[in-house]
Amino acid sequence: MTSLERSLIIQALEEDTGRGDPTTAATIDSSIEGKAYFLAKASGVLAGIDIAKEVFVLFAAQSHRENLVRFRSVGKEGSHVSAGEPLDEIYAPLDAILTAERVALNLLQRMSGIATLTREYVKRVQGTNAKILDTRKTAPLLRPFDRYGVLCGGGTNNRYSLAEMILVKDNHVAANGMDIRQVLDKLKKYFEADAHPLIPVEIEVTSLEQFRIILDHGGNIVSRVMFDNFEIGKLREGMAMNAGTFETEASGGVNLHSVRAIAETGVDYISVGALTHSVTGLDISLEIDHVPV
Amino acid sequence: MTSLERSLIIQALEEDTGRGDPTTAATIDSSIEGKAYFLAKASGVLAGIDIAKEVFVLFAAQSHRENLVRFRSVGKEGSHVSAGEPLDEIYAPLDAILTAERVALNLLQRMSGIATLTREYVKRVQGTNAKILDTRKTAPLLRPFDRYGVLCGGGTNNRYSLAEMILVKDNHVAANGMDIRQVLDKLKKYFEADAHPLIPVEIEVTSLEQFRIILDHGGNIVSRVMFDNFEIGKLREGMAMNAGTFETEASGGVNLHSVRAIAETGVDYISVGALTHSVTGLDISLEIDHVPV
Amino acid sequence: MTSLERSLIIQALEEDTGRGDPTTAATIDSSIEGKAYFLAKASGVLAGIDIAKEVFVLFAAQSHRENLVRFRSVGKEGSHVSAGEPLDEIYAPLDAILTAERVALNLLQRMSGIATLTREYVKRVQGTNAKILDTRKTAPLLRPFDRYGVLCGGGTNNRYSLAEMILVKDNHVAANGMDIRQVLDKLKKYFEADAHPLIPVEIEVTSLEQFRIILDHGGNIVSRVMFDNFEIGKLREGMAMNAGTFETEASGGVNLHSVRAIAETGVDYISVGALTHSVTGLDISLEIDHVPV
Amino acid sequence: MTSLERSLIIQALEEDTGRGDPTTAATIDSSIEGKAYFLAKASGVLAGIDIAKEVFVLFAAQSHRENLVRFRSVGKEGSHVSAGEPLDEIYAPLDAILTAERVALNLLQRMSGIATLTREYVKRVQGTNAKILDTRKTAPLLRPFDRYGVLCGGGTNNRYSLAEMILVKDNHVAANGMDIRQVLDKLKKYFEADAHPLIPVEIEVTSLEQFRIILDHGGNIVSRVMFDNFEIGKLREGMAMNAGTFETEASGGVNLHSVRAIAETGVDYISVGALTHSVTGLDISLEIDHVPV
Amino acid sequence: MTSLERSLIIQALEEDTGRGDPTTAATIDSSIEGKAYFLAKASGVLAGIDIAKEVFVLFAAQSHRENLVRFRSVGKEGSHVSAGEPLDEIYAPLDAILTAERVALNLLQRMSGIATLTREYVKRVQGTNAKILDTRKTAPLLRPFDRYGVLCGGGTNNRYSLAEMILVKDNHVAANGMDIRQVLDKLKKYFEADAHPLIPVEIEVTSLEQFRIILDHGGNIVSRVMFDNFEIGKLREGMAMNAGTFETEASGGVNLHSVRAIAETGVDYISVGALTHSVTGLDISLEIDHVPV
Amino acid sequence: MTSLERSLIIQALEEDTGRGDPTTAATIDSSIEGKAYFLAKASGVLAGIDIAKEVFVLFAAQSHRENLVRFRSVGKEGSHVSAGEPLDEIYAPLDAILTAERVALNLLQRMSGIATLTREYVKRVQGTNAKILDTRKTAPLLRPFDRYGVLCGGGTNNRYSLAEMILVKDNHVAANGMDIRQVLDKLKKYFEADAHPLIPVEIEVTSLEQFRIILDHGGNIVSRVMFDNFEIGKLREGMAMNAGTFETEASGGVNLHSVRAIAETGVDYISVGALTHSVTGLDISLEIDHVPV
């Protein structure tokens, strides 16, 4: 787990528990030890169980009790879980379990929901070369978790943020009344004149004519081409023209019904915004064992 | 807009744009003025348009250009928008529009998606007294935005975090082998002995027997009772027993099909986790006008 | 203790100890164990002893020695202490005790001073229904501690910040040349049109005429009325007009001499700015036992 | 104003206004311009008027309206103000004035209260050489403001935190069963062996015997001696023994009645914890002019 | 400029100016306008002039005066400057120029020093294919600035931090008593089993035997090989064996005398720790024009 | 170690390791215990070994494993180390050693490089009264570490930031067309009129005429005079004129060749910007012992 992820968890605990938990304070003696386990209440792909457990450690650390938190691992990140299947166990002070539970579940359910949907897409393209890519359409502030859900589902991560790759979209092209050819010149100048670091360049095309220009002039600059909203026939034609020259990516109009046909054109990557912009959380609960004391 | 909301927006900009945007740097001259407008691509309830606009102001402020950002307001928070309907316009440096666009849309689509689903629930219970409540099952760190989406949809906000209300669930009751009666005593002691501030108390019941105990002994302490996973018949019976004594809330098993029948029992509040834990973003895009310069 | 309180303590330690403590570095060997106890040097009400102890834990945690800090609890929050009475004991590395002492005492003395004064007010109104309320006139940044002092003294906490309650004062009324009636209309519109969450509304009145308007038109909106700077006679008249309709609060000109008469009018709450804006710290010291080693 | 002070003001605004101000949102149109002025309601010494004004600028900056805030300066830091005297004027959006008012007043009243009490002490010692010193008994987190209040009252600031000066107290001496002579040796070693920076050294003595040891052996190391809780006679004797060798400071048992006699012994500094640990805020209000619009 | 860079500048201003600048406060009237210009006092490569100017903007923004700061640009990032050459001009309040000057110069001198040394290395390898790479041996916290200096000098940036590339060094290999072959297996498993994102992999070799193993078995996994501390002859042999299969990098024992011979072996990259771990600042001053007022 | 230093280390770890270390994740099992030792690869003065060790503790604390980190101390801060000399040993989880190593070495090498150069200067002035002073020409954000390197080398620390001392340079003098005499008047007014705290005052002079003015009029105000860029003869003359009246400091044109002659004039302090603005890191490595497991 990275320190960014840890600091986001701490901030999420702050949001929900930072002003105190009077319910637990009023009803639970802080000396009671608790035992609980995650329970899958629907079938899907597990993602984020280690992060969910760290929530309890980081919460307990606020009262210097992190050494009282122990786990028994059962579920494996990325594995399939069935409704009714018991998952990892937690041993910790009962008040800490009750107070931190919601933050842990909110993270776990979202990540597992993302993994579950990603797995659906990955299954549909099985046997082709296509990889399922995520996009920057993540929940703001939760990007590392959303991306991890995609990985657990068998998807592939795209650039983390705007900085890791140049991706020229039609808005960048049209901005100055430029065409693709002029954009390629701009990019060449950018790398030459200002000694910028060599990061990968992808360009979005909306027609085969645009793609032809890149084939003719983009060789030194472009590493991947994004075919946006192409019909299957046109996309197949594009793959033939490309013949392995550039990496290729299809985007737009991708859903569980259309994805197989797109993959069979031979495209390398298919990016799917819905993986993260419309998430149905996987139903997982935390069951608490009550031992009379 | 609160300073918490502003600081979350700044953090979201940091996540996506904090290491720079080489695409825009390479292709867009920073002196070009841009014009853009939001466009509804699906029908639903608008929520967060003011927050989306503030994203551009806060991003431009990083380069001391916030005074170059202007808007023309069209859409109204909470109003219905139709697919194809143009919404608010933005006038700002083109590079700022292109770099900050994704953060603005990610927030706006999520909030509007929440508002749209909330409105569906609100419509179903029209004519009854029931109010649709959100829960703490929000995307971590995004709670103020998720709650605002619920408000725009016509829903009612529940407690912000654990601190604003005592809500005793079955886990709190069962923890020490206690029953409801003993919990009421614990709460009384909590308020008396330690001079804690008087915040509202809600107790979850899972049977009419438990509710009877609260009717008999909870008068001074309890302000609301949550009926968790009650059948409609039992819930109606509960309302009759209550006869206006406490505020009442139904939870569990609530969906668009069941919500009307629940509301017709006369319950005051119906809490719906799905409003925020499984969000389908409303499709809204940002269209950029390209004026040859 | 909430995470906000913890982070304020860490910031207070930073202020006083963050650049090092050369005195202790030069004179105290870091391997010496220390023992100390708090000593009441004046009589009053104890508040903040648990917070004062946490100061030592959080300071020791900076050098990974929090597990060397132990306590023996003696005093109870909110209890009366007499001059000369020994309070809780601390066992910790001597250098940590000496370096963190001042921050602990500064917090403890202020909170106990607040509790002591609050208790005086509470005693004066004993036998009436009136509760003593604090105000937002706290030391900036110390509000959670100041409020806790009030609670320990037997007082009742008002809204935490501007956000938790609407409180319309004469400035809000006069701002647009509005009168109370128009303000009530504005509030109604506010709640209806924009789907804002239902938070309590209190309105300040400075005459019985204003109060009459609220009695006639404020029923659905207002939950509490603040009578500002009323003479006792007028205030009693107001209570009679009210006859239990709204919660009532008296403010202005409240001191230890006047508070009883105010309470006997039957008002529900009396708010006292002096509880926190003019604090005489309760004299408590930290005595260090010196065992020859 | 330093950036530390600015960031503390922003944090104080966050505490009181960070979750929004629904009262102002409901009642005040954000386009109304406001005018207000500070009004002294008691006589005393003004301190912090510039800081109070910056509160409004920093609050307005959150909504990018800081250029709408203007002032007319009237009062001068450190000057005497009389009850009823109007002070600086503010021109700003009315909603900003109403929302930020409390934070501004809380700071101004505390600083002016400190300045007023400090001035009392300074007056009592007029004609002697003694300077009135503050201590580290400030409100946690507010030290820069508390110290500024002392300066405005004519007092002198002591070390900012533990780091700027070595001050050996009896606890440091007794810690290891050491005596003063051994402490002097420890200090010498500290400076020699570890190449620590040369910061001033002050040592507390509780008897003339201890002082004699410093006179005989402390020459190269000590720059100031603190006489703690000395009777006037003994203190005068100490001054005679000293004959200008070290700077001298009296502490303990200092109040408005005793301070003159202490000063007349010829001591250089008198430190007074009460300046900041028990503050009576100076009553200053913000009066808002209501111009019908 | 990224928001990370901006926030580091603000932190650097805090370090040097955060507690105030009494010198300027005592001597300079805040209403005086100032004019100044950077002056190269030694010859070298300019880097960071835009960052140095932003220092003044960000400092002035603390007192809401950023709109009073103007520049006339002269020098170009990455261009050669000669001793005595005047560079960019600043127009700003004089007190802001004097207070922020040192932070601006400290950054500018370091970055320009890095660029100047980098340019020396780049010149030595001119006509070969070798690129000069920086390393992670940067000044802690200043990495973005150090890397920018390298770019301006004509060098190429390596991975930003540990996260962007896998670089297996001999310590990773030897850790478990593994050999290179086993490491390749571990990497394969890492990518397969846990669905990690595909980031580039580089492996360090210290002998041609190790390199042979990678040639035979690393094809799918490895993208670059680092030849650490190879003699020229062995390195040339390695290039022949490689025949374009992998990207190649030489490291260890690189200095201005040895770099040419290394480059002539045909290696693709030469990494040079000294670019950033031992920096001689380029002497640049800020000259202030004094116009009698 | 101060909390500022700790927080800078944490920030440096964030910079290099905050997004994870996939190399170590892929190759090193987290249960392997590691052992390593620092090794001097060049001769010089050791500085920062305690800080370098704390890097590993703070990194391990992120995964709650700080109790697994142990050291055997060998080297002493400020002592001379020879090439080939083994230094302190570390026992910690191997993955933590490998991930945190670079941050630790980057700090240690820089501090030791500073100490080594400082020691050279200190040796040259041995037998004179002159002390070697550092300046504010430190690497931004690393000032506490740079200053500590100077101390370990036997140098003396100057003011920490702009706030701790008034230092009037020629720019402050010339700003208003003032001369030194007028500046002295301004300073007097500053201290009198606004009750500012008494901090030391140093004034830079560039001629003996200016110095004469200070001798005649600066007695109550000035504590130190800086002779900037004086020839040796003139500087000696200045020392004679001064005859112990003020502390004296020489600056400008100081290098290892010139420093002795400057010191022999009898000047008290010689400030050397090069100590920190042009640092050659001392070559120290971390050697990892590989025990077959």
Side-chain angles (χ1 to χ4, degrees), chain C residues 199-235:
Chain C
I199 52 173
V201 171
E202 178 169 13
I203 302 196
E204 182 190 85
V205 297
T206 53
S207 70
L208 290 174
E209 289 67 36
Q210 287 188 325
F211 181 44
R212 165 58 54 206
I213 297 171
I214 296 174
L215 276 172
D216 291 349
H217 305 283
N220 308 336
I221 293 288
V222 176
S223 49
R224 195 189 293 175
V225 178
M226 172 187 281
F227 294 81
D228 190 50
N229 273 309
F230 272 57
E231 294 167 21
I232 291 291
K234 290 280 180 194
L235 184 59

Side-chain angles (χ1 to χ4, degrees), chain A residues 161-232:
Chain A
S161 74
L162 287 168
E164 289 77 21
M165 180 191 278
I166 288 185
L167 170 46
V168 182
K169 299 206 161 177
D170 57 348
N171 278 326
H172 299 98
V173 175
N176 306 299
M178 289 190 296
D179 59 22
I180 289 264
R181 181 73 194 270
Q182 290 166 311
V183 163
L184 290 172
D185 288 348
K186 276 222 147 188
L187 290 170
K188 251 172 230 165
K189 264 192 211 139
Y190 176 75
F191 284 117
E192 282 165 21
D194 294 312
H196 288 93
L198 276 168
I199 54 172
V201 171
E202 179 168 12
I203 302 197
E204 183 190 83
V205 296
T206 53
S207 71
L208 290 174
E209 289 66 37
Q210 286 189 327
F211 181 42
R212 166 56 55 204
I213 297 171
I214 296 176
L215 275 172
D216 291 349
H217 305 283
N220 310 336
I221 294 287
V222 176
S223 48
R224 195 189 295 176
V225 177
M226 173 188 282
F227 295 80
D228 190 49
N229 272 309
F230 272 57
E231 293 168 21
I232 290 292

Side-chain angles (χ1 to χ4, degrees), chain E residues 216-235:
Chain E
D216 291 349
H217 305 283
N220 310 336
I221 294 287
V222 176
S223 48
R224 195 190 294 176
V225 178
M226 174 188 280
F227 294 81
D228 190 49
N229 272 310
F230 271 56
E231 293 168 22
I232 291 291
K234 290 282 181 196
L235 184 59

Side-chain angles (χ1 to χ4, degrees), chain E residues 3 10 41 107 144 231 235 256:
Chain E
S3 58
I10 289 168
K41 306 189 71 168
L107 283 165
E231 293 168 22
L235 184 59
L256 284 171

Side-chain angles (χ1 to χ4, degrees), chain C residues 11 16 32 136 143 176, chain D residues 11 16 32 136 143 176:
Chain C
Q11 193 180 347
D16 196 37
I32 303 179
R136 286 167 44 245
R143 188 164 290 166
N176 306 297
Chain D
Q11 193 180 347
D16 196 38
I32 304 179
R136 286 167 43 246
R143 188 163 290 167
N176 305 298

Side-chain angles (χ1 to χ4, degrees), chain D residues 16-94:
Chain D
D16 196 38
T17 74
R19 298 189 158 215
D21 176 4
T23 308
T24 300
T27 58
I28 308 293
D29 191 316
S30 69
S31 67
I32 304 179
E33 292 177 36
K35 185 189 157 193
Y37 62 97
F38 292 100
L39 175 66
K41 305 188 72 167
S43 298
V45 175
L46 186 67
I49 189 78
D50 292 341
I51 284 162
K53 289 185 293 188
E54 183 73 6
V55 170
F56 294 99
V57 175
L58 289 171
F59 178 73
Q62 291 183 6
S63 50
H64 310 287
R65 299 187 294 171
E66 66 273 31
N67 58 335
L68 302 181
V69 183
R70 295 281 176 276
F71 303 102
R72 204 172 68 83
S73 291
V74 175
K76 206 172 130 357
E77 299 289 42
S79 67
H80 185 270
V81 297
S82 305
E85 189 177 327
L87 303 168
D88 292 27
E89 294 172 7
I90 305 176
Y91 303 80
L94 181 58

